[in-house]
Amino acid sequence: MATHRITLASNTNRNIKTILLLPSTTPDLVAFIFSAAKSKLRLKKPTKLYVLPTGAELTSHADILSVATTSIYQPTILVSLGEPYVGSVAPPAPVLSSVVHSLVDAAFLDPLSLRQLHTCAALPGMLRVVGQPDLHPGTKFPIGAAFVSAGWLHPPLIGGDIGCGMSWYRVSLSAASLATRAAVQRLAETIRGVEGPWEDQPARETWLGGAEHAVGDPRFDAMLGTIGAGNHFAELQIIEESSADAVAAGDVVLLVHSGSRGFGQDVLARFYDPASGDHPESIPAGTPQAAAYLAAHDKAVHWAQANRDLIALRFLQRLEPHNPDWTADAPDRALVQGRKFVDITHNAVEASPWSGEPEPVYIHRKGAAPCTPSMALLPLPGSRGTPTLLLAPTGTGEHNGFSAAHGAGRAMSRAKAAVALRGKWEDANTPKTGTARERYGEDFHAGGSGGGGSGAKKRDEEEAAGWTICDEKELAWEEAPEAYKDVELVARDLETAGVCRVVGRARPKLTYKVRFEQGWKEAPGEGRKRDGREKEREREKGRWRGEGEGEFGEEV
């Protein structure tokens, strides 16, 4: 059920106000608001409604719905007891451009992300801006969106984690070997320490496919095969149900989410200076600068794909220690790719035909999965402890920007989550009070299990639940389930919009989040390590963001 958020206030005293959610299923919004005014504002006989700042009277359900759905800012509706509009009259607030389209319906929507979509719609050449159901705010530009432009490239819309994406790999473990928490914890101990520099530069260049694909700067290439912080992870999963051809119920798979690490941020810094020019975000297509950006962009995308494959190799070496494919002196990347059945890039730009345009347009994706006829299956991860949904594209058209949601999307910024949730979690696996079921109710999928029940059943659920490796408490708080939207509602919005349908579910068994190894040196753009007190001071000032861009992290 979609809802629209408004501020409801007294016409004569604006200090008497409340926040009100307008359900889209309500047949008479006038009566609904009058009823809310009586109960929430204590106004006995409301008879008229006005909208700020124009003072226009709202007399019908359609009037209210138009204000609620087209305003860039959260609208304020004033309730009158019969008196005329009180206050000065100002021009109407800006409304959403016809270029902007939001697929958010049932999922939570932060109004700031809509305003950021509007900001993007004003960039040169913009034809269509599509907010996916996982839409949430970034520093200036939103995350969970696709941007279609003709004749222009916009590097900051993609951001600094160029090439970030997700890859799924088959693992030869049995589901039975992951049936108990004790078994998963034993496996977790074999995974610890998988981070850190891999081999030497010649080996990395070989893995990348040649020296021409390497960055050429050891500070960046030394990060090949590492996950990164923020929302990045590697997760061992069991397919619980699937009607897709690629996997079947009972299969064990590895989902890797990572990108180009510091390399992509370096590329962005070379082509985007916020302080320069009238449109520092934009590069005209066909210019030498555009060609240089696309070349660097494509190199970062290639590097990120190789990075995910190498992460998978390092996990497979721990998960299948007796497999000779992984113990060779020079592991063959083709063998890892043979295990891969999905590989998507959700931070990138690509040229595409577009109706009515004589030349290919540029589809910029920031936290948006490609959704084209070539994509048979897409992952839609939620948060740790919630399932990853298997999606099959059903709509591959321009209305959704040839894109789909790439995950649940944040409902709470990292800074807010770190403060609000530190009192609820001891670490990534332990709520401070009560069981996970008690904390989150029936909507919490602890390792995919459902329902309450007897003590024996709860013990069975705890045995079936997954485990998270995350040695950074702040990251555990930032990535807690409450910080994310409901992935089921995100999927429902995709189905409602005709973009995808759910064809299966994967239950998380072992989730690996970055751990800060002693002696690890971060590359430029990654940020240096901070002690707890420094993080706290910077968080209070609103500056510390973790790896990546902006308040909401890398692209979450």
Side-chain angles (χ1 to χ4, degrees):
M1 178 181 68
T3 58
H4 305 289
R5 184 184 175 105
I6 68 166
T7 298
L8 191 65
S10 166
N11 182 45
T12 57
N13 185 352
R14 308 288 163 77
N15 291 323
I16 301 175
K17 60 184 178 181
T18 188
I19 301 299
L20 186 63
L21 299 180
L22 305 180
S24 61
T25 54
T26 300
D28 187 349
L29 286 174
V30 175
F32 180 84
I33 291 179
F34 281 161
S35 176
K38 292 177 183 178
S39 62
K40 296 179 179 295
L41 303 183
R42 306 300 185 198
L43 300 178
K44 292 183 178 180
K45 295 182 179 180
T47 59
K48 291 184 178 182
L49 300 175
Y50 303 104
V51 62
L52 276 179
T54 63
E57 185 175 357
L58 306 177
T59 61
S60 68
H61 175 93
D63 288 346
I64 297 170
L65 192 61
S66 176
V67 167
T69 57
T70 63
S71 178
I72 289 296
Y73 305 102
Q74 181 173 303
T76 296
I77 293 179
L78 304 176
V79 183
S80 163
L81 301 181
E83 75 280 357
Y85 172 77
V86 176
S88 59
V89 175
V95 298
L96 285 172
S97 164
S98 60
V99 168
V100 175
H101 303 270
S102 172
L103 304 184
V104 186
D105 184 28
F108 169 77
L109 177 62
D110 188 323
L112 175 58
S113 57
L114 276 180
R115 296 198 291 272
Q116 291 183 341
L117 288 181
H118 179 77
T119 298
C120 298
L123 293 175
M126 201 61 69
L127 299 175
R128 194 171 187 87
V129 174
V130 183
Q132 300 294 331
D134 58 338
L135 179 71
H136 56 277
T139 304
K140 184 176 181 181
F141 305 110
I143 301 155
F147 314 91
V148 183
S149 65
W152 291 83
L153 289 164
H154 308 286
L157 296 188
I158 301 162
D161 198 17
I162 302 168
C164 184
M166 299 185 200
S167 301
W168 247 328
Y169 305 83
R170 295 180 178 85
V171 180
S172 64
L173 297 177
S174 68
S177 68
L178 303 172
T180 67
R181 172 163 289 192
V184 173
Q185 287 176 321
R186 285 194 298 270
L187 190 62
E189 291 308 309
T190 70
I191 298 296
R192 287 187 182 275
V194 74
E195 285 276 293
W198 181 77
E199 301 294 343
D200 55 16
Q201 186 65 9
R204 297 174 199 131
E205 291 176 357
T206 298
W207 187 266
L208 286 163
E212 67 274 16
H213 296 297
V215 181
D217 186 335
R219 294 175 302 166
F220 297 126
D221 286 331
M223 302 176 78
L224 190 69
T226 62
I227 295 171
N231 64 332
H232 291 158
F233 63 86
E235 186 169 86
L236 197 64
Q237 306 172 331
I238 296 176
I239 302 296
E240 286 199 314
E241 55 183 278
S242 171
S243 60
D245 294 333
V247 287
D251 288 353
V252 177
V253 297
L254 176 69
L255 180 63
V256 176
H257 176 201
S258 191
S260 55
R261 308 289 271 114
F263 178 29
Q265 185 65 42
D266 180 71
V267 171
L268 177 63
R270 281 185 263 151
F271 291 92
Y272 173 50
D273 179 2
S276 65
D278 294 330
H279 294 291
E281 303 91 353
S282 310
I283 302 174
T287 64
Q289 187 183 21
Y293 172 75
L294 288 174
H297 163 279
D298 292 349
K299 188 171 186 176
V301 170
H302 177 92
W303 196 100
Q305 292 169 333
N307 184 46
R308 291 192 290 276
D309 286 347
L310 185 52
I311 291 168
L313 170 68
R314 302 180 82 173
F315 273 76
L316 289 167
Q317 288 173 332
R318 305 290 183 99
L319 298 171
E320 304 175 10
H322 304 298
N323 188 329
D325 289 344
W326 320 133
T327 57
D329 291 338
D332 187 349
R333 184 180 171 191
L335 295 175
V336 177
Q337 292 174 320
R339 294 287 190 95
K340 183 164 56 177
F341 60 96
V342 167
D343 184 29
I344 63 165
T345 298
H346 53 234
N347 279 10
V349 62
E350 68 170 340
S352 172
W354 195 265
S355 61
E357 293 298 320
E359 299 292 332
V361 300
Y362 291 104
I363 301 178
H364 306 69
R365 296 186 177 98
K366 175 68 169 177
C371 187
T372 65
S374 64
M375 306 300 299
L377 189 65
L378 300 174
L380 188 72
S383 62
R384 68 171 190 258
T386 63
T388 290
L389 305 184
L390 283 62
L391 303 179
T394 54
T396 55
E398 296 178 357
H399 80 284
N400 56 299
F402 295 105
S403 305
H406 81 308
R410 295 194 73 89
M412 190 183 297
S413 73
R414 291 189 177 279
K416 183 177 180 180
V419 173
L421 303 181
R422 68 175 58 207
K424 296 184 178 182
W425 290 87
E426 293 285 356
D427 54 42
N429 298 289
T430 314
K432 282 195 173 181
T433 58
T435 65
R437 173 81 42 205
E438 290 165 346
R439 296 207 64 80
Y440 303 111
E442 298 303 317
D443 289 334
F444 180 70
H445 301 264
S449 58
S454 65
K457 185 173 182 180
K458 287 186 176 180
R459 285 194 297 274
D460 290 342
E461 289 175 352
E462 289 175 359
E463 278 293 293
W467 190 256
T468 299
I469 301 173
C470 181
D471 294 343
E472 277 281 310
K473 278 195 173 183
E474 290 211 6
L475 185 58
W477 297 327
E478 292 172 3
E479 292 288 295
E482 304 100 313
Y484 281 84
K485 300 185 187 186
D486 186 333
V487 71
E488 303 283 353
L489 295 182
V490 170
R492 185 189 305 174
D493 284 352
L494 289 173
E495 290 183 324
T496 299
V499 176
C500 294
R501 60 187 176 91
V502 177
V503 295
R505 282 173 170 77
R507 172 162 40 107
K509 296 300 295 185
L510 179 58
T511 305
Y512 185 98
K513 304 292 294 185
V514 72
R515 64 193 301 240
F516 294 111
E517 304 284 358
Q518 292 295 324
W520 176 260
K521 293 183 179 180
E522 295 175 316
E526 294 286 313
R528 59 188 176 83
K529 289 190 285 187
R530 302 161 171 83
D531 64 32
R533 286 172 297 180
E534 184 176 359
K535 284 182 181 179
E536 184 62 29
R537 288 193 300 270
E538 293 191 359
R539 190 179 300 285
E540 290 174 358
K541 296 178 180 179
R543 293 200 307 265
W544 189 73
R545 306 301 187 215
E547 179 186 50
E549 304 166 296
E551 183 180 22
F552 284 78
E554 214 159 45
E555 43 81 5
V556 193

